[in-house]
PDB file of all heavy atoms in Angstrom:
ATOM      1  N   GLY W  24     112.284  36.825 210.648  1.00  0.00           N
ATOM      2  CA  GLY W  24     111.254  37.746 210.189  1.00  0.00           C
ATOM      3  C   GLY W  24     110.057  37.868 211.115  1.00  0.00           C
ATOM      4  O   GLY W  24     109.064  38.472 210.747  1.00  0.00           O
ATOM      5  N   THR W  25     110.145  37.296 212.298  1.00  0.00           N
ATOM      6  CA  THR W  25     108.986  37.350 213.188  1.00  0.00           C
ATOM      7  C   THR W  25     109.324  37.972 214.535  1.00  0.00           C
ATOM      8  O   THR W  25     108.819  37.573 215.562  1.00  0.00           O
ATOM      9  CB  THR W  25     108.405  35.944 213.422  1.00  0.00           C
ATOM     10  OG1 THR W  25     109.437  35.116 213.971  1.00  0.00           O
ATOM     11  CG2 THR W  25     107.878  35.344 212.151  1.00  0.00           C
ATOM     12  N   LEU W  26     110.176  38.961 214.536  1.00  0.00           N
ATOM     13  CA  LEU W  26     110.521  39.653 215.768  1.00  0.00           C
ATOM     14  C   LEU W  26     109.404  40.653 216.071  1.00  0.00           C
ATOM     15  O   LEU W  26     109.480  41.824 215.756  1.00  0.00           O
ATOM     16  CB  LEU W  26     111.867  40.361 215.624  1.00  0.00           C
ATOM     17  CG  LEU W  26     112.449  40.947 216.898  1.00  0.00           C
ATOM     18  CD1 LEU W  26     112.647  39.886 217.956  1.00  0.00           C
ATOM     19  CD2 LEU W  26     113.764  41.638 216.602  1.00  0.00           C
ATOM     20  N   VAL W  27     108.323  40.117 216.648  1.00  0.00           N
ATOM     21  CA  VAL W  27     107.138  40.923 216.917  1.00  0.00           C
ATOM     22  C   VAL W  27     106.673  40.685 218.348  1.00  0.00           C
ATOM     23  O   VAL W  27     107.224  39.870 219.077  1.00  0.00           O
ATOM     24  CB  VAL W  27     106.004  40.584 215.932  1.00  0.00           C
ATOM     25  CG1 VAL W  27     106.362  41.006 214.516  1.00  0.00           C
ATOM     26  CG2 VAL W  27     105.670  39.116 215.975  1.00  0.00           C
ATOM     27  N   ALA W  28     105.625  41.390 218.723  1.00  0.00           N
ATOM     28  CA  ALA W  28     105.117  41.313 220.093  1.00  0.00           C
ATOM     29  C   ALA W  28     104.738  39.888 220.490  1.00  0.00           C
ATOM     30  O   ALA W  28     104.977  39.471 221.617  1.00  0.00           O
ATOM     31  CB  ALA W  28     103.919  42.238 220.258  1.00  0.00           C
ATOM     32  N   SER W  29     104.160  39.107 219.566  1.00  0.00           N
ATOM     33  CA  SER W  29     103.739  37.758 219.929  1.00  0.00           C
ATOM     34  C   SER W  29     104.930  36.882 220.324  1.00  0.00           C
ATOM     35  O   SER W  29     104.807  36.019 221.193  1.00  0.00           O
ATOM     36  CB  SER W  29     102.955  37.104 218.787  1.00  0.00           C
ATOM     37  OG  SER W  29     103.769  36.986 217.640  1.00  0.00           O
ATOM     38  N   VAL W  30     106.077  37.105 219.709  1.00  0.00           N
ATOM     39  CA  VAL W  30     107.274  36.352 220.079  1.00  0.00           C
ATOM     40  C   VAL W  30     107.703  36.752 221.491  1.00  0.00           C
ATOM     41  O   VAL W  30     108.026  35.904 222.325  1.00  0.00           O
ATOM     42  CB  VAL W  30     108.423  36.579 219.069  1.00  0.00           C
ATOM     43  CG1 VAL W  30     109.704  35.925 219.544  1.00  0.00           C
ATOM     44  CG2 VAL W  30     108.023  36.046 217.699  1.00  0.00           C
ATOM     45  N   ALA W  31     107.670  38.033 221.788  1.00  0.00           N
ATOM     46  CA  ALA W  31     108.032  38.505 223.121  1.00  0.00           C
ATOM     47  C   ALA W  31     107.059  37.974 224.163  1.00  0.00           C
ATOM     48  O   ALA W  31     107.458  37.559 225.247  1.00  0.00           O
ATOM     49  CB  ALA W  31     108.062  40.028 223.140  1.00  0.00           C
ATOM     50  N   GLU W  32     105.767  37.957 223.831  1.00  0.00           N
ATOM     51  CA  GLU W  32     104.770  37.445 224.760  1.00  0.00           C
ATOM     52  C   GLU W  32     104.986  35.967 225.035  1.00  0.00           C
ATOM     53  O   GLU W  32     104.926  35.517 226.179  1.00  0.00           O
ATOM     54  CB  GLU W  32     103.369  37.691 224.201  1.00  0.00           C
ATOM     55  CG  GLU W  32     103.011  39.165 224.152  1.00  0.00           C
ATOM     56  CD  GLU W  32     101.801  39.461 223.290  1.00  0.00           C
ATOM     57  OE1 GLU W  32     101.314  38.562 222.571  1.00  0.00           O
ATOM     58  OE2 GLU W  32     101.336  40.617 223.325  1.00  0.00           O
ATOM     59  N   THR W  33     105.270  35.199 223.986  1.00  0.00           N
ATOM     60  CA  THR W  33     105.535  33.777 224.155  1.00  0.00           C
ATOM     61  C   THR W  33     106.787  33.568 224.991  1.00  0.00           C
ATOM     62  O   THR W  33     106.814  32.714 225.883  1.00  0.00           O
ATOM     63  CB  THR W  33     105.688  33.088 222.775  1.00  0.00           C
ATOM     64  OG1 THR W  33     104.480  33.301 222.039  1.00  0.00           O
ATOM     65  CG2 THR W  33     105.953  31.611 222.927  1.00  0.00           C
ATOM     66  N   ALA W  34     107.803  34.354 224.738  1.00  0.00           N
ATOM     67  CA  ALA W  34     109.032  34.255 225.535  1.00  0.00           C
ATOM     68  C   ALA W  34     108.755  34.547 227.006  1.00  0.00           C
ATOM     69  O   ALA W  34     109.285  33.868 227.891  1.00  0.00           O
ATOM     70  CB  ALA W  34     110.086  35.214 224.983  1.00  0.00           C
ATOM     71  N   MET W  35     107.902  35.543 227.287  1.00  0.00           N
ATOM     72  CA  MET W  35     107.549  35.862 228.672  1.00  0.00           C
ATOM     73  C   MET W  35     106.840  34.686 229.338  1.00  0.00           C
ATOM     74  O   MET W  35     107.128  34.341 230.480  1.00  0.00           O
ATOM     75  CB  MET W  35     106.659  37.105 228.740  1.00  0.00           C
ATOM     76  CG  MET W  35     107.385  38.404 228.511  1.00  0.00           C
ATOM     77  SD  MET W  35     108.644  38.749 229.756  1.00  0.00           S
ATOM     78  CE  MET W  35     107.646  38.912 231.221  1.00  0.00           C
ATOM     79  N   LEU W  36     105.914  34.058 228.621  1.00  0.00           N
ATOM     80  CA  LEU W  36     105.223  32.902 229.189  1.00  0.00           C
ATOM     81  C   LEU W  36     106.197  31.770 229.469  1.00  0.00           C
ATOM     82  O   LEU W  36     106.116  31.106 230.501  1.00  0.00           O
ATOM     83  CB  LEU W  36     104.117  32.428 228.242  1.00  0.00           C
ATOM     84  CG  LEU W  36     102.867  33.291 228.211  1.00  0.00           C
ATOM     85  CD1 LEU W  36     101.929  32.833 227.118  1.00  0.00           C
ATOM     86  CD2 LEU W  36     102.165  33.262 229.559  1.00  0.00           C
ATOM     87  N   LEU W  37     107.143  31.541 228.555  1.00  0.00           N
ATOM     88  CA  LEU W  37     108.141  30.495 228.773  1.00  0.00           C
ATOM     89  C   LEU W  37     109.026  30.818 229.976  1.00  0.00           C
ATOM     90  O   LEU W  37     109.355  29.935 230.776  1.00  0.00           O
ATOM     91  CB  LEU W  37     108.995  30.301 227.515  1.00  0.00           C
ATOM     92  CG  LEU W  37     108.263  29.683 226.322  1.00  0.00           C
ATOM     93  CD1 LEU W  37     109.135  29.749 225.079  1.00  0.00           C
ATOM     94  CD2 LEU W  37     107.869  28.248 226.625  1.00  0.00           C
TER      95      LEU W  37
END
Side-chain angles (χ1 to χ4, degrees):
T25 58
L26 189 59
V27 293
S29 62
V30 173
E32 292 165 351
T33 302
M35 285 297 296
L36 285 173
L37 291 171

